[in-house]
């Protein structure tokens, strides 16, 4: 008995220590676990009914909103002048880099959730939750801000009657973050369009397509009439020239114009409702980006050719410009286009938000009731109701001019991580779009045989390893697992890109004045970034089986990462503080709920992992004591007391 007591005394602390150590170390593995795709990747409870035309107009409608009627005047007058054409071109190209990365992922993974799902598959659960949590905020604030703009535009058409009446009835709100008055019209608009989306995805996209076509028609009319009355003298040196604010003004204008293209991720969100996502998603992405970029450039050209840039009215740029040449009736056409554009932008945000909530809930990272699909409409109706109400309340109360910039952090962060994911997956040999069946000894033998006999098997095996011409890097990276070096290099490139952008933002004057330490630091950062890209290029890619792939990997995704980070460092410090507050709330949700209910962690509890699968099924917690007694008698002379608490079934039967 004394021996048994000593054995229990020495064994129990060790077993507890082992379990505690496993639980603590398991947190890191849980945060890094990746999503496993089902055997049938096309299977979904949602309705696959959207064609390429529907998805293209969904993306165009989400991007071409009130910005084309308001943003063009502000940027042309205050930032770039007629050079706004180059600003929109640069912003469109910068956004196209991220759009191409989204298109490749849409081909790989035709699922709802957009950047959230892409990150979950390639990087891991924690970063996927971070992206998904910010996407929810992006679409929620996006919908509310557009509803508020819609309300303000209609109010201006009626001479401010709506706002004046509301203030007379309710009074003004004097809090800092709140709006001047409660906007009941914006609240109603959010609710109405949420109800419209509830009729079904096909019916609601038909309405969206109709409104988008009307908006494009208005843009075409504005361009045609504007170019007919154009005065090319407005681009000459007599009236300021084509670049009155210089190249710096063009770049500053591009940073502002970039947010006019935000919204193409709604295309990726529709991947689970597309008939042929491997074709429709990349095609719709490229077409919508081309249409929107061309539209912005032509409207900007027509505006700056009608009137000199310094005479533009930023609050009503197009109506005032046409009034300048005696075309007063265009004001009503522009108003129709603006209302249709804002409606489709609101539609895009309310379309994407419930589907992102659904994707996260299905994976167990958000509450399970958010993953329910209505069998009749094949829509996440609960999510749609919550999305509409939350957006409506925000639109009712808050001053959204202070929150719109806050929205852009989540967008740019998602773009950055998706671009990084494209590089990682392109060099990862283990990525499979379709899950493998359970392996048997016979299947393993046949698989190994087929690998030896298949002509392309050598290429597949080389993915993520060094190319022959870069064998001189072998002593450094030759013993690393395939793909791991590329992942580290992507992290290094992203980190030093952020450092370089921060240096340019903080020490721009020192760089211009030739201060030696800033120049050396910038050269060092650039050298590390180039070295990381060289190491990535030195490895074999895996692009087999993709219907669409980003060209010039890793350079295009790397350039996308750099551009997105550059835009992020220009954001206000208060915006970053609000972002961290939102992330603290997200971390509470993840660590108190999501990490414990993740579908990828089912069947792998902290205790059962310490046992074999058969032992975890057959025995309860108390049975461990019996096993420990048995181990004490059978291995009395063994000095490994800690191991006696946990015994494999096979070992005990021997």
């Amino acid at each position: 008995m004394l021996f048994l007591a000593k054995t229990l005394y020495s064994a129990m602390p060790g077993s507890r220590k082992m379990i505690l150590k496993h639980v603590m170390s398991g947190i890191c593995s849980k945060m890094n676990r990746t999503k496993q795709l089902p055997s049938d990747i096309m299977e979904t409870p949602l309705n696959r009914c959207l064609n390429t035309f529907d998805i293209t107009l969904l993306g165009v409608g989400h991007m071409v909103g009130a910005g084309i009627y308001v943003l063009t005047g502000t940027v042309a007058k205050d930032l770039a002048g007629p050079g706004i054409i180059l600003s929109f071109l640069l912003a469109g190209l910068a956004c196209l880099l991220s759009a191409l990365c989204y298109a490749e992922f849409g081909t790989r993974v035709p699922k709802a959730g957009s950047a959230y799902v892409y990150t979950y598959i390639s990087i891991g659960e924690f970063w996927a939750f971070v992206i998904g949590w910010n996407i929810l905020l992006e679409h929620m604030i996006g919908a509310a801000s557009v509803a508020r703009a819609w309300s303000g535009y209609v109010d201006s058409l009626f001479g401010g009657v709506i706002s004046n009446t509301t203030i007379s009835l309710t009074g003004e709100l004097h809090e800092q973050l709140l709006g001047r008055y409660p906007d009941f019209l914006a609240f109603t608009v959010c609710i109405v369009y949420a109800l419209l989306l509830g009729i079904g995805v096909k019916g609601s996209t038909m309405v969206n397509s109709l409104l988008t076509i009307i908006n494009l028609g208005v843009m075409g009319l504005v361009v045609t009439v504007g170019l007919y009355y154009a005065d090319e003298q407005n681009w000459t040196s007599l009236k300021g020239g084509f670049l009155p604010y210089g190249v710096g003004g063009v770049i500053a204008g591009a940073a502002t114009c970039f947010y006019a293209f935000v919204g193409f991720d709604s295309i990726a969100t529709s991947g689970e409702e597309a008939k042929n996502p491997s074709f429709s998603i990349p095609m719709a992405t490229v077409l919508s980006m081309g249409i929107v970029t061309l539209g912005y450039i032509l409207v900007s050209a027509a505006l700056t050719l009608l009137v000199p840039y310094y005479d533009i009215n930023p609050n009503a740029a197009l109506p005032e410009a046409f009034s300048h040449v005696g075309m007063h009736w265009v004001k009503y056409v522009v108003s129709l286009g603006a209302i249709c554009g804002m409606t489709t932008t609101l539609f895009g945000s309310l379309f994407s938000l419930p589907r992102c909530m659904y994707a996260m809930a299905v994976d167990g990272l958000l509450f399970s009731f958010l993953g329910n699909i209505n069998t009749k409409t094949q829509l996440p109706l609960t999510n749609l109701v919550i999305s509409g109400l939350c957006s409506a309340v925000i639109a009712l109360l808050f001053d959204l001019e202070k929150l719109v910039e806050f929205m852009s952090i989540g967008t740019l962060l998602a773009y950055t991580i998706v671009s990084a994911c494209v590089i990682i997956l392109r060099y990862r040999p283990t990525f499979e779009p379709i899950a493998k069946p359970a392996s048997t000894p016979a299947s393993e033998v046949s698989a190994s045989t087929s690998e030896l006999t298949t002509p392309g098997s050598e290429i597949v095996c080389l993915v993520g390893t060094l190319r022959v011409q870069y064998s001189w890097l072998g002593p450094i990276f030759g013993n690393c697992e395939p793909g791991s070096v590329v992942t580290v290099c992507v992290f290094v490139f992203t980190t030093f890109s952020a450092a370089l952008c921060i240096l340019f933002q903080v020490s721009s004057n020192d760089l211009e004045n030739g201060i030696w330490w800033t120049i050396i630091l910038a050269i060092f950062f650039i050298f590390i970034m180039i070295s990381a890209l060289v190491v990535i290029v030195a490895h074999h890619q895996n692009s087999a089986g993709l219907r669409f792939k980003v060209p010039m990997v890793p350079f295009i995704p790397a350039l996308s990462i750099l551009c997105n980070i550059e835009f992020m460092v220009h954001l206000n410090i208060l915006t970053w503080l609000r972002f961290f507050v939102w992330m603290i709330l997200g971390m509470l949700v993840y660590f108190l709920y999501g990490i414990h209910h993740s579908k990828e962690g089912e069947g792998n509890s902290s205790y059962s992992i310490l046992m074999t699968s058969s032992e975890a099924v057959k025995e309860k917690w108390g049975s461990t004591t019996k096993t420990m007694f048995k181990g004490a008698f059978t291995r009395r002379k063994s000095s490994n007391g800690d191991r006696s608490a946990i015994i494999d079934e096979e070992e005990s039967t021997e």
Side-chain angles (χ1 to χ4, degrees):
M1 292 296 293
L2 181 62
F3 170 75
L4 292 177
K6 287 183 177 181
T7 304
L8 287 172
Y9 181 79
S10 61
M12 289 302 292
S15 63
R16 282 199 295 267
K17 184 188 296 183
M18 182 179 293
I19 293 174
L20 181 61
K21 180 180 179 181
H22 176 79
V23 170
M24 297 303 295
S25 63
I27 293 178
C28 184
S29 62
K30 288 177 181 178
M31 293 170 62
N32 292 320
R33 58 193 172 196
T34 55
K35 180 179 176 64
Q36 304 298 316
L37 295 177
S39 57
D40 185 3
I41 200 170
M42 294 292 289
E43 183 180 356
T44 175
L46 301 177
N47 184 16
R48 289 197 179 274
C49 61
L50 301 181
N51 54 34
T52 305
F53 179 78
D54 297 326
I55 300 173
T56 301
L57 290 184
L58 177 65
V60 172
H62 199 178
M63 286 185 277
V64 182
I68 201 165
Y69 303 100
V70 178
L71 188 66
T72 49
T74 302
V75 174
K77 182 174 183 178
D78 300 330
L79 295 175
I84 186 177
I85 295 173
L86 299 179
S87 296
F88 271 119
L89 181 61
L90 289 176
L93 291 175
C95 206
L96 180 62
L97 299 175
S98 300
L100 291 174
C101 297
Y102 270 79
E104 177 171 321
F105 263 112
T107 303
R108 287 181 181 268
V109 189
K111 291 292 183 181
S114 187
Y116 157 75
V117 174
Y118 306 158
T119 307
Y120 205 166
I121 290 171
S122 54
I123 294 183
E125 183 175 288
F126 175 77
W127 283 107
F129 181 87
V130 170
I131 293 299
W133 187 249
N134 282 285
I135 287 176
L136 297 182
L137 182 67
E138 169 201 340
H139 291 307
M140 199 178 301
I141 294 181
S145 62
V146 174
R148 192 97 180 190
W150 195 100
S151 170
Y153 198 89
V154 172
D155 183 45
S156 66
L157 292 178
F158 290 95
V161 173
I162 299 175
S163 58
N164 293 332
T165 303
T166 304
I167 292 174
S168 64
L169 294 175
T170 63
E172 293 189 4
L173 304 175
H174 299 288
E175 296 296 330
Q176 185 177 5
L177 287 177
L178 300 182
R180 191 166 67 93
Y181 63 93
D183 197 334
F184 294 102
L185 181 57
F187 179 91
T188 306
V189 167
C190 283
I191 299 298
V192 168
Y193 284 115
L195 293 175
L196 178 63
L197 283 166
I199 65 176
V201 64
K202 189 62 179 179
S204 55
T205 51
M206 289 177 62
V207 175
N208 175 77
S209 299
L210 176 62
L211 295 175
T212 303
I213 291 173
I214 294 174
N215 190 21
L216 292 176
V218 171
M219 289 171 56
L221 179 64
V222 167
V223 170
T224 303
V225 177
L227 294 180
Y228 179 80
Y229 287 96
D231 181 6
E232 62 274 7
Q233 294 295 321
N234 292 328
W235 285 7
T236 63
S237 58
L238 296 176
K239 296 186 177 181
F242 186 74
L243 298 177
Y245 296 96
V247 178
V250 171
I251 296 175
T256 303
C257 294
F258 179 86
Y259 302 108
F261 296 91
V262 170
F264 66 81
D265 55 341
S266 60
I267 297 174
T269 306
S270 64
E272 203 161 336
E273 290 160 294
K275 293 179 180 178
N276 185 10
S278 63
F279 173 79
S280 296
I281 298 299
M283 182 61 69
T285 300
V286 174
L287 286 176
S288 61
M289 286 298 302
I291 292 171
V292 172
T293 303
L294 182 63
Y296 275 125
I297 289 175
L298 291 178
V299 170
S300 301
L303 174 63
T304 53
L305 284 171
L306 274 175
V307 293
Y309 75 92
Y310 47 79
D311 286 338
I312 292 176
N313 182 355
N315 297 320
L318 290 174
E320 291 294 330
F322 283 102
S323 298
H324 183 76
V325 295
M327 304 291 291
H328 299 281
W329 58 271
V330 178
K331 172 183 177 180
Y332 303 101
V333 178
V334 170
S335 299
L336 175 64
I339 291 175
C340 290
M342 286 184 283
T343 300
T344 55
T345 304
L346 177 60
F347 178 94
S349 294
L350 290 178
F351 177 89
S352 302
L353 180 56
R355 285 154 180 81
C356 291
M357 295 170 64
Y358 159 77
M360 296 179 71
V362 165
D363 291 333
L365 301 187
L366 288 182
F367 308 110
S368 58
F369 71 91
L370 298 176
N372 297 332
I373 297 293
N374 184 274
T375 55
K376 184 177 180 180
T377 61
Q378 293 182 286
L379 291 173
L381 288 182
T382 304
N383 301 0
L384 189 57
V385 172
I386 295 174
S387 303
L389 284 175
C390 291
S391 300
V393 170
I394 295 175
L396 175 70
L397 297 175
F398 287 95
D399 179 8
L400 293 165
E401 290 182 2
K402 299 175 182 177
L403 296 178
V404 168
E405 192 179 54
F406 176 37
M407 174 187 71
S408 61
I409 286 187
T411 303
L412 292 170
L413 184 62
Y415 290 176
T416 302
I417 292 186
V418 167
S419 300
C421 290
V422 167
I423 303 176
I424 292 172
L425 285 190
R426 195 65 81 82
Y427 293 90
R428 180 182 292 177
T430 56
F431 178 78
E432 300 258 347
I434 300 177
K436 294 182 179 179
S439 61
T440 61
S443 64
E444 291 178 359
V445 173
S446 62
S448 62
T449 305
S450 63
E451 287 179 0
L452 294 174
T453 57
T454 303
S457 61
E458 293 184 4
I459 298 176
V460 174
C461 294
L462 289 175
V463 170
T465 60
L466 286 173
R467 298 176 182 268
V468 177
Q469 56 268 40
Y470 294 94
S471 57
W472 53 276
L473 291 173
I476 305 175
F477 306 114
N479 296 325
C480 299
E481 293 186 7
S484 60
V485 175
V486 173
T487 303
V488 174
C489 287
V490 170
F491 175 77
V492 170
F493 178 86
T494 304
T495 302
F496 279 88
S497 296
L500 182 66
C501 292
I502 293 173
L503 178 66
F504 285 156
Q505 178 71 9
V506 175
S507 304
S508 58
N509 293 330
D510 293 337
L511 286 169
E512 291 176 359
N513 295 329
I515 304 299
W516 64 270
W517 67 268
T518 57
I519 296 176
I520 292 177
L521 203 57
I523 293 174
F524 172 72
F525 290 159
I526 294 173
F527 173 76
I528 296 296
M529 292 163 59
I530 293 175
S531 300
L533 290 179
V534 169
V535 173
I536 293 174
V537 171
H539 291 76
H540 288 278
Q541 285 193 32
N542 180 13
S543 57
L546 293 181
R547 191 164 184 174
F548 174 84
K549 55 185 179 182
V550 179
M552 298 178 63
V553 171
F555 300 108
I556 285 183
L559 186 58
S560 174
I561 292 172
L562 183 61
C563 291
N564 293 328
I565 293 176
E566 175 64 21
F567 289 137
M568 290 175 72
V569 299
H570 279 83
L571 296 176
N572 193 295
I573 186 65
L574 291 177
T575 303
W576 283 101
L577 292 176
R578 297 183 190 120
F579 169 76
F580 286 123
V581 171
W582 175 250
M583 284 310 307
I584 289 173
L585 296 176
M587 292 303 97
L588 291 175
V589 173
Y590 177 70
F591 285 107
L592 294 180
Y593 181 86
I595 196 172
H596 305 293
H597 294 82
S598 171
K599 292 299 194 311
E600 299 303 321
E602 288 184 350
N604 293 321
S605 65
S606 299
Y607 178 70
S608 63
I609 288 178
L610 295 175
M611 309 167 66
T612 62
S613 58
S614 58
E615 199 173 25
V617 172
K618 292 179 181 179
E619 298 182 354
K620 299 180 181 179
W621 174 269
S623 64
T624 312
T625 308
K626 298 179 182 179
T627 307
M628 188 173 60
F629 276 115
K630 187 175 180 179
F633 281 114
T634 56
R635 292 192 298 276
R636 178 174 298 186
K637 295 183 180 181
S638 175
S639 60
N640 297 328
D642 289 351
R643 294 182 56 194
S644 64
I646 302 171
I647 305 172
D648 289 336
E649 187 176 347
E650 295 179 0
E651 184 181 356
S652 62
T653 55
E654 290 178 356

